[in-house]
């Protein structure tokens, strides 16, 4: 069976196995747990104690609680990744065996946070390096040890590049003569 | 397979029978040696059995020596404790503990049977009770020692995660109006708790070839040759 939220592939076996665990929790509590999982996916801190309190009624063991969080993370991030709308997600989850109220509660939480989730996933995508800022200065050389009258403008540029890991900014200084600078500008304009 | 103990080793272990007579006070003493002593069984401490001091000390020594997370320096704390209880020099106690640890780790490493272990320690000329308690100590802790020893082997960098990205190059400074797809990957590896990342880039054709090669490698496991070897190993 192909599912859109799995990217038109089969649903992983472990997700199928954990759907029955999800059904044990009441639909109201499931919606609250979804809210916590969405907070984690959006980069805020997850409140594990609240989730433990919510699952205590269903008498889940600690392994089951972690499995619930993992399954919800997978379903929500996978649906956002493949840009699935909430009605399709709801019908697919019901096909997998999740009861109707649970599926609709989950999908309503998903719908509210779909765009922020997709923005966050876009920001997390692989990037090699990123330009932070550019500083410039134009100088005018009057004379030098080689030639008495130079009278040429010189451009100094500093590119602040954030490296791959995103921790440090490296400064790359470049000095150009006026002609080279015009070439650089012309090339840059031709890209756009 | 017998374990051969060198003369030094036997001399060090020779201090163990002398460390008797402190049987009654084990229970309160146990709390004093910190985290290492926590794992001894509940029934043992209350018996006041004569063999208890050696096996208790041995167990804590083994645990303290082998537990990678032991925060307290095991030798000084234990030696001071035993010096107080048993009136023997610190050096002798330290040698005794180290001898015991070596005996247990070598036996667990080689996975020697009970009979072989008993024959190996008969050389030391201890009493039967002591031999029995050493054997019991070995059998109880063998599995745990083996799991700790297994983690000490050197490791190659292992896979942690893979981030990927599909790009299409549309134009460059030299050539406009192109279509050139490329897959950029960042391979995260773990080596001894260090995380390193390697950036790789390839075109889709090479990537498909790579996948094909890896699937062929996995398929080797199903060939007759591998199946025969796996069957013989089990």
């Amino acid at each position: 069976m192909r599912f859109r939220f799995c990217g038109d592939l089969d649903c992983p076996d472990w997700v199928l196995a954990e759907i029955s665990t999800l059904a044990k929790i009441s639909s109201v509590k499931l919606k609250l747990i979804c809210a916590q999982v969405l907070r984690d996916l959006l980069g805020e801190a997850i409140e594990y104690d609240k989730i433990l309190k919510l699952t205590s009624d269903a008498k889940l063991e600690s392994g089951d609680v972690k499995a619930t969080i993992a399954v919800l993370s997978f379903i929500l991030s996978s649906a956002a990744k493949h840009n699935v709308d909430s009605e399709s997600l709801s019908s697919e989850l019901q096909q997998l065996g999740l009861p109707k109220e649970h599926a609709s509660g989950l999908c309503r939480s998903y719908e509210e946070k779909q765009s922020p989730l997709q923005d966050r996933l876009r920001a997390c995508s692989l990037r090699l390096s990123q330009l932070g800022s550019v500083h410039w200065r134009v100088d005018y050389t009057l004379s030098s040890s080689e030639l008495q009258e130079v009278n040429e403008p010189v451009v100094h540029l500093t590119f602040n590049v954030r490296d791959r890991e995103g921790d440090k900014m490296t400064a790359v200084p470049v000095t150009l003569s006026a002609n080279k600078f015009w070439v650089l500008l012309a090339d840059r304009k031709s890209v756009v | 397979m017998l374990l051969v103990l060198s003369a030094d080793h036997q001399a060090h272990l020779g201090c163990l029978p002398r460390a008797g007579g402190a049987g009654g006070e084990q229970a309160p003493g146990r709390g004093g040696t910190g985290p290492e002593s926590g794992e001894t069984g509940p029934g043992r401490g209350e018996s006041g059995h004569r063999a208890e001091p050696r096996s208790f000390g041995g167990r804590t020594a083994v645990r303290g020596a082998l537990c990678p997370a032991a925060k307290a320096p095991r030798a000084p704390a234990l030696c001071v404790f035993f010096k107080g209880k048993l009136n023997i020099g610190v050096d002798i106690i330290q040698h005794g503990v180290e001898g015991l640890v070596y005996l247990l780790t070598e036996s667990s490493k080689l996975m020697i049977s009970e009979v072989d272990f008993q024959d190996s320690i008969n050389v030391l000329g201890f009493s039967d009770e002591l031999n029995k308690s050493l054997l019991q100590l070995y059998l109880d802790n063998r599995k745990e020692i083996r799991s700790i020893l297994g983690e000490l082997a050197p490791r190659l960098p292992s896979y942690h995660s893979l981030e990927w990205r599909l790009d299409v190059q549309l134009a460059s400074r030299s050539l406009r109006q192109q279509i050139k797809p490329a897959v950029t990957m960042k391979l995260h590896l773990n080596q001894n708790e260090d995380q390193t990342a390697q950036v790789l880039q390839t075109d889709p054709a090479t990537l498909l070839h790579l996948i094909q090669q890896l699937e062929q490698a996995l398929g080797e496991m199903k060939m007759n040759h591998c199946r025969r070897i796996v069957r013989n190993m089990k």
Side-chain angles (χ1 to χ4, degrees), chain A residues 126 164-165, chain B residues 161-163 184-188 197-199:
Chain A
L126 176 61
R164 294 181 262 164
E165 268 72 60
Chain B
S161 65
L162 179 74
E163 284 180 77
T184 311
M185 296 177 279
K186 193 162 166 189
L187 183 62
H188 292 268
Q198 187 84 357
V199 178

Side-chain angles (χ1 to χ4, degrees), chain A residues 22 30 33-34 37 67-77 106:
Chain A
L22 285 183
L30 188 67
I33 298 178
C34 268
V37 171
T68 310
I69 301 178
V71 145
L72 287 173
S73 284
F74 174 79
I75 293 176
L76 293 165
S77 60
L106 207 156

Side-chain angles (χ1 to χ4, degrees), chain B residues 198-228:
Chain B
Q198 187 84 357
V199 178
L200 307 160
Q201 194 176 55
T202 175
D203 56 289
T206 312
L207 185 62
L208 284 173
H209 180 70
L210 182 69
I211 295 173
Q212 203 184 31
Q213 291 294 319
L214 290 172
E215 282 178 348
Q216 272 183 9
L218 281 177
E220 257 319 293
M221 278 299 290
K222 301 202 179 95
M223 295 276 127
N224 283 333
H225 185 66
C226 277
R227 279 221 181 108
R228 236 179 291 146

Side-chain angles (χ1 to χ4, degrees), chain A residues 18 34 57 149 151 165 179 185 192:
Chain A
E18 295 304 324
C34 268
D57 291 351
E149 293 223 6
N151 295 335
E165 268 72 60
N179 293 332
L185 258 189
V192 182

Side-chain angles (χ1 to χ4, degrees), chain B residues 74-147:
Chain B
R74 48 152 183 118
L78 275 174
C79 293
V80 166
F81 171 68
F82 280 112
K83 183 173 191 312
K85 292 274 176 209
L86 308 166
N87 285 323
I88 308 182
V90 178
D91 281 344
I92 300 179
I93 302 250
Q94 189 157 358
H95 287 151
V97 167
E98 285 169 4
L100 194 57
V101 168
Y102 180 73
L103 174 68
L104 288 168
T105 48
E106 284 297 300
S107 321
S108 307
K109 177 168 87 172
L110 301 167
M111 196 69 177
I112 59 181
S113 61
E114 297 176 24
V115 176
D116 286 339
F117 185 80
Q118 263 171 332
D119 291 338
S120 309
I121 56 178
N122 271 338
V123 177
L124 300 164
F126 291 158
S127 65
D128 274 344
E129 286 178 12
L130 189 48
N131 282 346
K132 267 205 210 86
S133 57
L134 277 175
L135 178 65
Q136 199 51 46
L137 189 64
Y138 166 59
L139 289 174
D140 288 341
N141 290 308
R142 174 163 62 175
K143 219 166 137 190
E144 200 179 344
I145 297 176
R146 278 181 75 86
S147 71

